[in-house]
Amino acid sequence: MKTKNLVTLSLAALVLGVGAYFTSSNSRVRTPKLNGKRITCDFNISDVGAVEIAGKLRVSATADGWKVDSKYGYPASIDKVRENVLKLHDLKVGQVARRTISNLTKVEIKDLKGKALASIELGDKHMSKPRGQMAAFGGGYPDARYLKFEGQTVLVKDSLPEFDGDLKSWADTRICEVPSAEIVKVEFSSKSETLNLEKKDSSWLLKGLGEKEELDSSKTYSLDGALSYLDFADIADPKLTEAELGFTTGSLYRVTLKNGKSYTAALGNELQTGERYFKVSASFSPAGTNFVENASLQKEVEQFNKKVSSWTYVIASYSASQMAKKRSDLVKAKEEPKKKD
């Protein structure tokens, strides 16, 4: 009796084992391993005609180059667009994550006819564990990102900040790079006053000082640096009028260079963020008689104006404050000479 029971149990175990093997095999066939799998299909980069980040940003190819449609057609950087598209093209699954993600952002890559070439759903960023000195501050930094892929949550080894919708990831935000060392004249102008300063022997002189006034040299270090490496934060709506932007009552900042170039910047209204509307243009009045050099400088001015003259920018409050100096900001009471005993 015992021998018969043992045989029966052995057969049952064998049947269950075989069934489990085939069940496991079938499961592996139906659910392939995702690690290392491409997130997007192998689309042709040359076919890409647009990139859309749902509700945040859209760039597209036009006859005049790539444009940021969501920012009134401002020129996009072809190098940045190519780099960002390649990043999605080569993106692969790092690992499957056991978590649910919400607030998904859909990113679509389309061809010139609007047909979708690839689509992904971005979730939250994965934060690194703080180590060393960073641990004292209680936070890490984004080092990966969660995505929705084939019905599962996966993690990719890139935080993909370019797809958060920030304009600077798709366009060149540098407005101008006026060399401060070449500036010889600065003018601050508002409705109430105008300040004219001129540089001589590396020192600034202010016209119109009273007998008991003098220029505060400790506050002149940034007079000529406001247009050096100036970037914008946003683009203003082209439909806004000069009055709505505040340029009719705003202030001006003008600098003149040794070579005869001049740049005139206009400051408009202040936004709730503290940022301000800003416009700039250049002009040229030859300082020398070299025809070839003057022609080259005139061409540089024309190219600069072509790039910036049709746009109204939004710049940081700090940058704007450097162009809106008042007399009280620069002038102090002259120190009386100390009497000798």
Side-chain angles (χ1 to χ4, degrees):
M1 184 69 177
K2 291 182 180 180
T3 302
K4 184 177 180 180
N5 289 342
L6 288 173
V7 172
T8 302
L9 291 173
S10 297
L11 288 172
L14 179 62
V15 170
L16 289 173
V18 171
Y21 171 79
F22 282 110
T23 299
S24 177
S25 299
N26 290 337
S27 176
R28 287 198 296 271
V29 171
R30 288 195 303 268
T31 309
K33 187 177 180 180
L34 293 182
N35 289 9
K37 189 173 182 179
R38 293 178 65 99
I39 296 293
T40 64
C41 59
D42 190 14
F43 59 87
N44 193 330
I45 301 295
S46 61
D47 291 336
V48 176
V51 180
E52 294 183 6
I53 304 173
K56 297 180 179 180
L57 185 137
R58 185 182 192 276
V59 296
S60 65
T62 71
D64 297 324
W66 279 80
K67 307 289 184 182
V68 185
D69 301 327
S70 52
K71 291 297 177 182
Y72 316 107
Y74 192 81
S77 165
I78 180 61
D79 293 331
K80 292 183 178 182
V81 172
R82 184 185 296 112
E83 183 180 348
N84 296 342
V85 169
L86 279 171
K87 183 172 284 191
L88 286 192
H89 178 273
D90 299 334
L91 199 61
K92 294 181 180 180
V93 175
Q95 66 183 67
V96 176
R98 294 183 178 180
R99 59 171 290 176
T100 57
I101 51 176
S102 57
N103 300 322
L104 293 170
T105 298
K106 188 175 183 179
V107 178
E108 285 189 297
I109 297 177
K110 299 181 177 181
D111 64 15
L112 292 170
K113 295 182 179 180
K115 180 182 177 182
L117 298 174
S119 178
I120 65 171
E121 292 181 298
L122 296 177
D124 302 327
K125 294 177 183 177
H126 177 274
M127 303 299 291
S128 67
K129 292 183 178 180
R131 298 177 180 177
Q133 294 182 347
M134 289 185 64
F137 298 97
Y141 60 90
D143 63 351
R145 192 148 191 172
Y146 294 102
L147 307 182
K148 200 72 175 178
F149 180 64
E150 294 190 1
Q152 297 191 56
T153 300
V154 300
L155 198 62
V156 296
K157 298 177 181 179
D158 195 313
S159 62
L160 302 172
E162 300 83 1
F163 297 93
D164 292 334
D166 192 341
L167 181 60
K168 68 182 179 182
S169 296
W170 300 88
D172 181 9
T173 56
R174 179 61 48 82
I175 303 174
C176 52
E177 295 180 348
V178 179
S180 59
E182 298 297 311
I183 294 175
V184 293
K185 292 182 180 180
V186 173
E187 178 185 313
F188 297 94
S189 178
S190 65
K191 289 186 67 177
S192 59
E193 60 183 9
T194 297
L195 304 178
N196 287 291
L197 297 104
E198 189 170 350
K199 184 182 286 186
K200 287 188 177 181
D201 300 327
S202 301
S203 297
W204 285 104
L205 302 176
L206 175 62
K207 295 180 180 180
L209 284 174
E211 292 183 1
K212 296 184 178 182
E213 294 178 322
E214 65 180 358
L215 185 65
D216 189 345
S217 58
S218 67
K219 297 180 180 179
T220 61
Y221 65 93
S222 61
L223 289 180
D224 50 9
L227 297 180
S228 300
Y229 310 108
L230 179 64
D231 292 296
F232 66 84
D234 205 352
I235 300 294
D237 187 344
K239 294 181 181 179
L240 294 173
T241 66
E242 294 282 297
E244 290 173 323
L245 292 167
F247 291 123
T248 54
T249 57
S251 56
L252 296 177
Y253 171 75
R254 183 179 290 111
V255 297
T256 303
L257 281 63
K258 296 176 184 177
N259 57 18
K261 280 186 181 180
S262 292
Y263 293 85
T264 301
L267 293 174
N269 289 336
E270 184 175 315
L271 285 70
Q272 291 183 347
T273 57
E275 298 166 319
R276 290 186 72 171
Y277 292 122
F278 171 86
K279 294 185 74 172
V280 63
S281 62
S283 59
F284 176 61
S285 179
T289 57
N290 188 317
F291 177 80
V292 176
E293 182 180 356
N294 289 340
S296 176
L297 292 171
Q298 180 64 45
K299 187 176 181 179
E300 289 176 5
V301 165
E302 291 172 356
Q303 290 176 338
F304 177 82
N305 287 333
K306 183 179 179 181
K307 173 188 173 184
V308 306
S309 62
S310 60
W311 300 100
T312 297
Y313 301 97
V314 176
I315 62 171
S317 57
Y318 170 78
S319 298
S321 67
Q322 299 299 98
M323 305 180 213
K325 299 292 186 183
K326 298 178 181 179
R327 202 172 193 279
S328 57
D329 296 328
L330 303 174
V331 177
K332 67 178 182 177
K334 184 181 289 187
E335 295 182 7
E336 296 292 337
K338 294 181 179 181
K339 294 181 179 181
K340 295 181 180 181
D341 295 335

